[in-house]
Amino acid sequence: MFEILVGIISGFVSGMGMGGGTILILCLSLFLGIEQHVAQATNLVFFIPTSIVAIIINIKQKYVDFKIAIPIAISGVVGAVIGAIFSSKTDVRMLKKYFGIFLGLIALWEIYSLIKKYKLKEKTHTK
């Protein structure tokens, strides 16, 4: 039952374009005790159908700029190959640390963005 709930939440977040895989990997490794390599590989399998659905919906709503999307997609495939090779040769403990650092950097960026947005909002209200 927990797995289904995690899948629904991750799918919802993925459909919004916010990286539901991060939630999925975190839940699989922390709460279900799945090894980091297995959690990341499971996330990749999860990512294929959820991204296809999100892509179709966003194309239908004309939200996709193909001039930007195609070079990013090609670069992403190259990056995925490099990342998969790196991941498969990395010790599980180090992979967990790298993932934790990655999550921490994302959190710091989000906090920074919120503060910047708040300050900008205050600045426009005081004028």
Side-chain angles (χ1 to χ4, degrees), residues 9 30 39 41 51-52 63-64 75 83 91 102 104 113 121-122 126:
I9 293 169
L30 283 180
S51 63
I52 289 171
Y63 291 150
V64 177
S75 302
D91 178 62
F102 174 70
S113 297
K121 190 175 181 179
E122 268 192 0
T126 57

PDB file of all heavy atoms in Angstrom, residues 9 30 39 41 51-52 63-64 75 83 91 102 104 113 121-122 126:
ATOM      1  N   ILE A   9       2.076   9.965  -5.425  1.00  0.00           N
ATOM      2  CA  ILE A   9       2.663  11.269  -5.078  1.00  0.00           C
ATOM      3  C   ILE A   9       3.804  11.616  -6.032  1.00  0.00           C
ATOM      4  O   ILE A   9       3.886  12.733  -6.546  1.00  0.00           O
ATOM      5  CB  ILE A   9       3.134  11.291  -3.609  1.00  0.00           C
ATOM      6  CG1 ILE A   9       1.924  11.210  -2.678  1.00  0.00           C
ATOM      7  CG2 ILE A   9       3.953  12.546  -3.313  1.00  0.00           C
ATOM      8  CD1 ILE A   9       2.277  10.948  -1.222  1.00  0.00           C
ATOM      9  N   LEU A  30      15.033   5.321   2.012  1.00  0.00           N
ATOM     10  CA  LEU A  30      14.880   5.564   3.450  1.00  0.00           C
ATOM     11  C   LEU A  30      13.809   4.700   4.108  1.00  0.00           C
ATOM     12  O   LEU A  30      14.041   4.082   5.134  1.00  0.00           O
ATOM     13  CB  LEU A  30      14.542   7.041   3.716  1.00  0.00           C
ATOM     14  CG  LEU A  30      15.669   8.034   3.621  1.00  0.00           C
ATOM     15  CD1 LEU A  30      15.161   9.440   3.898  1.00  0.00           C
ATOM     16  CD2 LEU A  30      16.787   7.695   4.592  1.00  0.00           C
ATOM     17  N   ALA A  39      17.215   1.754  -6.040  1.00  0.00           N
ATOM     18  CA  ALA A  39      16.240   2.850  -5.974  1.00  0.00           C
ATOM     19  C   ALA A  39      16.371   3.765  -7.187  1.00  0.00           C
ATOM     20  O   ALA A  39      15.373   4.170  -7.789  1.00  0.00           O
ATOM     21  CB  ALA A  39      16.428   3.642  -4.677  1.00  0.00           C
ATOM     22  N   ALA A  41      17.685   3.002 -10.157  1.00  0.00           N
ATOM     23  CA  ALA A  41      17.280   2.272 -11.366  1.00  0.00           C
ATOM     24  C   ALA A  41      15.755   2.159 -11.431  1.00  0.00           C
ATOM     25  O   ALA A  41      15.156   2.305 -12.506  1.00  0.00           O
ATOM     26  CB  ALA A  41      17.928   0.890 -11.394  1.00  0.00           C
ATOM     27  N   SER A  51       6.938  10.469 -17.690  1.00  0.00           N
ATOM     28  CA  SER A  51       7.400  11.573 -18.531  1.00  0.00           C
ATOM     29  C   SER A  51       6.700  11.564 -19.888  1.00  0.00           C
ATOM     30  O   SER A  51       6.395  12.625 -20.434  1.00  0.00           O
ATOM     31  CB  SER A  51       8.917  11.542 -18.700  1.00  0.00           C
ATOM     32  OG  SER A  51       9.315  10.374 -19.364  1.00  0.00           O
ATOM     33  N   ILE A  52       6.418  10.391 -20.424  1.00  0.00           N
ATOM     34  CA  ILE A  52       5.711  10.311 -21.711  1.00  0.00           C
ATOM     35  C   ILE A  52       4.331  10.954 -21.594  1.00  0.00           C
ATOM     36  O   ILE A  52       3.923  11.751 -22.449  1.00  0.00           O
ATOM     37  CB  ILE A  52       5.613   8.849 -22.208  1.00  0.00           C
ATOM     38  CG1 ILE A  52       6.999   8.364 -22.658  1.00  0.00           C
ATOM     39  CG2 ILE A  52       4.597   8.726 -23.347  1.00  0.00           C
ATOM     40  CD1 ILE A  52       7.076   6.887 -22.952  1.00  0.00           C
ATOM     41  N   TYR A  63       2.945  23.905 -24.757  1.00  0.00           N
ATOM     42  CA  TYR A  63       3.886  24.437 -23.775  1.00  0.00           C
ATOM     43  C   TYR A  63       5.332  24.062 -24.086  1.00  0.00           C
ATOM     44  O   TYR A  63       6.223  24.468 -23.368  1.00  0.00           O
ATOM     45  CB  TYR A  63       3.557  23.929 -22.375  1.00  0.00           C
ATOM     46  CG  TYR A  63       2.279  24.472 -21.781  1.00  0.00           C
ATOM     47  CD1 TYR A  63       1.546  23.707 -20.890  1.00  0.00           C
ATOM     48  CD2 TYR A  63       1.819  25.735 -22.094  1.00  0.00           C
ATOM     49  CE1 TYR A  63       0.379  24.199 -20.326  1.00  0.00           C
ATOM     50  CE2 TYR A  63       0.653  26.224 -21.550  1.00  0.00           C
ATOM     51  CZ  TYR A  63      -0.060  25.451 -20.660  1.00  0.00           C
ATOM     52  OH  TYR A  63      -1.199  25.940 -20.107  1.00  0.00           O
ATOM     53  N   VAL A  64       5.545  23.270 -25.132  1.00  0.00           N
ATOM     54  CA  VAL A  64       6.889  22.788 -25.430  1.00  0.00           C
ATOM     55  C   VAL A  64       7.494  23.634 -26.552  1.00  0.00           C
ATOM     56  O   VAL A  64       6.910  23.765 -27.619  1.00  0.00           O
ATOM     57  CB  VAL A  64       6.878  21.295 -25.836  1.00  0.00           C
ATOM     58  CG1 VAL A  64       8.277  20.821 -26.204  1.00  0.00           C
ATOM     59  CG2 VAL A  64       6.307  20.441 -24.714  1.00  0.00           C
ATOM     60  N   SER A  75      21.299  16.388 -25.092  1.00  0.00           N
ATOM     61  CA  SER A  75      22.324  16.539 -24.054  1.00  0.00           C
ATOM     62  C   SER A  75      21.983  15.704 -22.820  1.00  0.00           C
ATOM     63  O   SER A  75      22.867  15.134 -22.176  1.00  0.00           O
ATOM     64  CB  SER A  75      22.450  18.009 -23.647  1.00  0.00           C
ATOM     65  OG  SER A  75      22.766  18.804 -24.746  1.00  0.00           O
ATOM     66  N   GLY A  83      26.156   9.529 -16.459  1.00  0.00           N
ATOM     67  CA  GLY A  83      25.708   9.352 -15.079  1.00  0.00           C
ATOM     68  C   GLY A  83      25.489   7.898 -14.704  1.00  0.00           C
ATOM     69  O   GLY A  83      25.833   7.466 -13.601  1.00  0.00           O
ATOM     70  N   ASP A  91      30.556   3.372  -5.152  1.00  0.00           N
ATOM     71  CA  ASP A  91      30.155   2.664  -3.943  1.00  0.00           C
ATOM     72  C   ASP A  91      28.811   3.200  -3.441  1.00  0.00           C
ATOM     73  O   ASP A  91      28.543   4.406  -3.521  1.00  0.00           O
ATOM     74  CB  ASP A  91      31.240   2.869  -2.868  1.00  0.00           C
ATOM     75  CG  ASP A  91      30.884   2.213  -1.560  1.00  0.00           C
ATOM     76  OD1 ASP A  91      30.732   0.976  -1.536  1.00  0.00           O
ATOM     77  OD2 ASP A  91      30.748   2.954  -0.551  1.00  0.00           O
ATOM     78  N   PHE A 102      23.210  16.543  -3.295  1.00  0.00           N
ATOM     79  CA  PHE A 102      22.354  17.047  -4.365  1.00  0.00           C
ATOM     80  C   PHE A 102      21.038  17.588  -3.802  1.00  0.00           C
ATOM     81  O   PHE A 102      20.609  18.689  -4.144  1.00  0.00           O
ATOM     82  CB  PHE A 102      22.100  15.929  -5.380  1.00  0.00           C
ATOM     83  CG  PHE A 102      21.112  16.278  -6.452  1.00  0.00           C
ATOM     84  CD1 PHE A 102      21.426  17.198  -7.432  1.00  0.00           C
ATOM     85  CD2 PHE A 102      19.863  15.675  -6.482  1.00  0.00           C
ATOM     86  CE1 PHE A 102      20.507  17.521  -8.425  1.00  0.00           C
ATOM     87  CE2 PHE A 102      18.944  15.985  -7.467  1.00  0.00           C
ATOM     88  CZ  PHE A 102      19.267  16.911  -8.439  1.00  0.00           C
ATOM     89  N   GLY A 104      20.481  18.597  -0.756  1.00  0.00           N
ATOM     90  CA  GLY A 104      20.797  19.780   0.037  1.00  0.00           C
ATOM     91  C   GLY A 104      20.972  21.012  -0.836  1.00  0.00           C
ATOM     92  O   GLY A 104      20.482  22.102  -0.500  1.00  0.00           O
ATOM     93  N   SER A 113      15.804  31.182  -3.675  1.00  0.00           N
ATOM     94  CA  SER A 113      14.815  31.694  -4.629  1.00  0.00           C
ATOM     95  C   SER A 113      13.621  32.311  -3.914  1.00  0.00           C
ATOM     96  O   SER A 113      13.116  33.363  -4.325  1.00  0.00           O
ATOM     97  CB  SER A 113      14.332  30.576  -5.552  1.00  0.00           C
ATOM     98  OG  SER A 113      15.396  30.078  -6.322  1.00  0.00           O
ATOM     99  N   LYS A 121       9.296  41.229  -3.917  1.00  0.00           N
ATOM    100  CA  LYS A 121       7.899  41.552  -3.676  1.00  0.00           C
ATOM    101  C   LYS A 121       7.784  42.707  -2.687  1.00  0.00           C
ATOM    102  O   LYS A 121       6.982  43.620  -2.874  1.00  0.00           O
ATOM    103  CB  LYS A 121       7.164  40.315  -3.149  1.00  0.00           C
ATOM    104  CG  LYS A 121       5.677  40.443  -3.091  1.00  0.00           C
ATOM    105  CD  LYS A 121       5.052  39.125  -2.667  1.00  0.00           C
ATOM    106  CE  LYS A 121       3.557  39.215  -2.625  1.00  0.00           C
ATOM    107  NZ  LYS A 121       2.957  37.941  -2.229  1.00  0.00           N
ATOM    108  N   GLU A 122       8.600  42.670  -1.626  1.00  0.00           N
ATOM    109  CA  GLU A 122       8.593  43.750  -0.639  1.00  0.00           C
ATOM    110  C   GLU A 122       9.044  45.061  -1.263  1.00  0.00           C
ATOM    111  O   GLU A 122       8.499  46.116  -0.972  1.00  0.00           O
ATOM    112  CB  GLU A 122       9.516  43.403   0.533  1.00  0.00           C
ATOM    113  CG  GLU A 122       8.844  42.709   1.665  1.00  0.00           C
ATOM    114  CD  GLU A 122       9.725  42.660   2.904  1.00  0.00           C
ATOM    115  OE1 GLU A 122      10.859  43.165   2.889  1.00  0.00           O
ATOM    116  OE2 GLU A 122       9.242  42.106   3.896  1.00  0.00           O
ATOM    117  N   THR A 126       6.736  48.639  -1.427  1.00  0.00           N
ATOM    118  CA  THR A 126       7.111  49.831  -0.670  1.00  0.00           C
ATOM    119  C   THR A 126       7.228  51.055  -1.555  1.00  0.00           C
ATOM    120  O   THR A 126       7.264  52.171  -1.065  1.00  0.00           O
ATOM    121  CB  THR A 126       8.451  49.625   0.085  1.00  0.00           C
ATOM    122  OG1 THR A 126       9.461  49.279  -0.850  1.00  0.00           O
ATOM    123  CG2 THR A 126       8.313  48.576   1.152  1.00  0.00           C
TER     124      THR A 126
END
